[in-house]
Amino acid sequence: MSPISILNVSSSGFILTGFPGLEVHYLWISIPFSSIYAMVFLGNCMVLHVIQTEPSLHQPMFYFLAILALTDLCMGLSTIYTVLGILWGIIREISLDSCIAQSYFIHGLSFMESSVLLAMAFDRYIAICNPLRYSSILTNDKIMKIGMAILCRSSLLIPPVIIRLKFLNYCRPHILSHSFCLHQDLIRMACSDILFNSIYGLALVISNLLLDAVLILISYIMILHAVLAIASRDERIKSLKTCVSHICAVSVFYIPIIGLTMVHRFGKHLSPLVHVLMGNIYILFPPLMNPVIYSIKTQRIRRRVQRLFYLKRM
């Protein structure tokens, strides 16, 4: 974009970045992205419907899975307007208030997904290491308390750093690195003192994403220790199989985050297209893959989904 067009952007507006150099192909690029968003919505709605309508799935593990599906659904809703809006030529610029709101939801939902994955790891730990007390430990009341704790943790810790974005002075070119807004992208354009945002933002990442990853790792070390103590080989394999879906969900969540972080930190010399692709993988890959993972790897969900499609064909 030329300097003249940048100057024409309103002082409170920010230019969204689509796919640099591929503007003439946006219509074609929008087809796979529209399909991905459709699969995100249909897949997660299907998981929620199956869990709600199947009494045998009214168990702690599947309650957490429902929260995960709802989180992924909201992540899709929070980014669809700007991502597809650029590709369809509907929007090119986003206001500061809208940008701040979108960044709040994206970061808040990321923290929520991380917290849900931690809760699911705790569920697997109790189920394998203390199976006789599973139903007495993870009661419906405790699951509700865990759910409220997850909601409060992901929504109440972020406002101090997000609200302050409203009062920063943005004197650098208002060009975002992605087709959506991120906190680190906005402070990069600020000329005001961003020390609070930098320190508080880092503390949030450490106390949420990093801490959750460490606790999930510790839980699986303890699970592995308990499984190896089982005498029967078949029982060991059966116990580990119950964790496969969760391990896959953890992988599809943390690998894109690590990739995006590495690109932002060490990929200054890379093409802007790489940054855009990593950003889209970060927001779309987990919501797209989680319903697929749990539909394939979890036998009861797979059977219920198959029965659902079978009834529709009748």
Side-chain angles (χ1 to χ4, degrees):
M1 178 168 289
S2 67
I4 294 175
S5 59
I6 292 173
L7 291 172
N8 288 334
V9 178
S10 65
S11 60
S12 61
F14 294 86
I15 297 294
L16 295 160
T17 299
F19 292 87
L22 300 175
E23 287 81 3
V24 295
H25 304 295
Y26 274 5
L27 186 60
W28 292 106
I29 296 173
S30 70
I31 296 174
F33 271 85
S34 300
S35 301
I36 289 171
Y37 272 105
M39 288 187 286
V40 166
F41 295 138
L42 291 175
N44 287 287
C45 285
M46 182 186 66
V47 170
L48 289 169
H49 174 74
V50 167
I51 293 173
Q52 181 187 13
T53 56
E54 182 58 47
S56 66
L57 298 180
H58 294 174
Q59 297 178 14
M61 181 178 74
F62 298 106
Y63 290 145
F64 291 133
L65 177 57
I67 299 174
L68 185 68
L70 185 61
T71 303
D72 287 337
L73 198 60
C74 291
M75 180 64 87
L77 289 171
S78 67
T79 58
I80 186 171
Y81 175 68
T82 53
V83 174
L84 293 186
I86 291 175
L87 296 176
W88 289 344
I90 299 174
I91 61 169
R92 189 72 178 89
E93 178 186 343
I94 186 171
S95 68
L96 176 60
D97 291 340
S98 298
C99 197
I100 291 173
Q102 188 181 52
S103 67
Y104 170 79
F105 283 110
I106 290 175
H107 293 297
L109 290 167
S110 293
F111 291 159
M112 181 176 285
E113 182 142 354
S114 177
S115 300
V116 174
L117 291 172
L118 176 59
M120 296 173 83
F122 176 69
D123 170 86
R124 290 299 83 207
Y125 167 74
I126 298 297
I128 293 173
C129 298
N130 206 346
L132 297 179
R133 296 188 58 202
Y134 180 77
S135 58
S136 62
I137 294 174
L138 287 174
T139 61
N140 288 341
D141 182 57
K142 287 182 180 176
I143 291 170
M144 286 187 64
K145 289 180 180 177
I146 292 172
M148 289 302 298
I150 290 172
L151 182 62
C152 292
R153 184 194 189 206
S154 57
S155 61
L156 299 181
L157 294 177
I158 299 179
V161 74
I162 294 295
I163 291 173
R164 197 168 185 279
L165 293 172
K166 175 70 174 175
F167 304 100
L168 296 178
N169 178 31
Y170 301 97
C171 61
R172 295 187 176 94
H174 292 190
I175 304 177
L176 299 168
S177 302
H178 306 284
S179 51
F180 48 86
C181 297
L182 296 175
H183 170 262
Q184 57 266 36
D185 221 8
L186 284 171
I187 63 173
R188 177 180 57 83
M189 292 177 282
C191 298
S192 310
D193 181 14
I194 59 171
L195 182 62
F196 173 78
N197 286 68
S198 299
I199 295 176
Y200 192 92
L202 180 62
L204 280 177
V205 171
I206 292 173
S207 62
N208 284 271
L209 300 180
L210 184 59
L211 178 61
D212 290 352
V214 171
L215 292 175
I216 290 171
L217 180 61
I218 291 172
S219 71
Y220 272 104
I221 291 173
M222 298 172 72
I223 287 171
L224 187 60
H225 181 266
V227 168
L228 292 176
I230 299 174
S232 171
R233 180 176 179 273
D234 291 339
E235 286 299 317
R236 288 200 298 268
I237 294 173
K238 184 179 178 181
S239 297
L240 288 174
K241 278 185 176 180
T242 63
C243 300
V244 172
S245 298
H246 180 253
I247 293 171
C248 292
V250 170
S251 299
V252 301
F253 175 71
Y254 279 101
I255 290 175
I257 287 180
I258 294 170
L260 183 63
T261 303
M262 295 297 286
V263 166
H264 272 288
R265 181 67 182 84
F266 304 107
K268 300 290 193 298
H269 62 285
L270 295 175
S271 166
L273 189 60
V274 176
H275 290 258
V276 172
L277 286 173
M278 286 304 304
N280 282 292
I281 290 172
Y282 160 66
I283 63 166
L284 288 174
F285 194 57
L288 175 67
M289 292 307 299
N290 284 336
V292 176
I293 290 168
Y294 280 94
S295 297
I296 293 174
K297 294 295 184 181
T298 307
Q299 190 177 57
R300 279 185 285 180
I301 291 181
R302 184 173 68 248
R303 287 177 178 174
R304 184 66 179 84
V305 170
Q306 289 173 344
R307 195 159 69 245
L308 181 68
F309 281 102
Y310 175 75
L311 289 173
K312 285 185 176 181
R313 288 199 300 267
M314 294 291 286

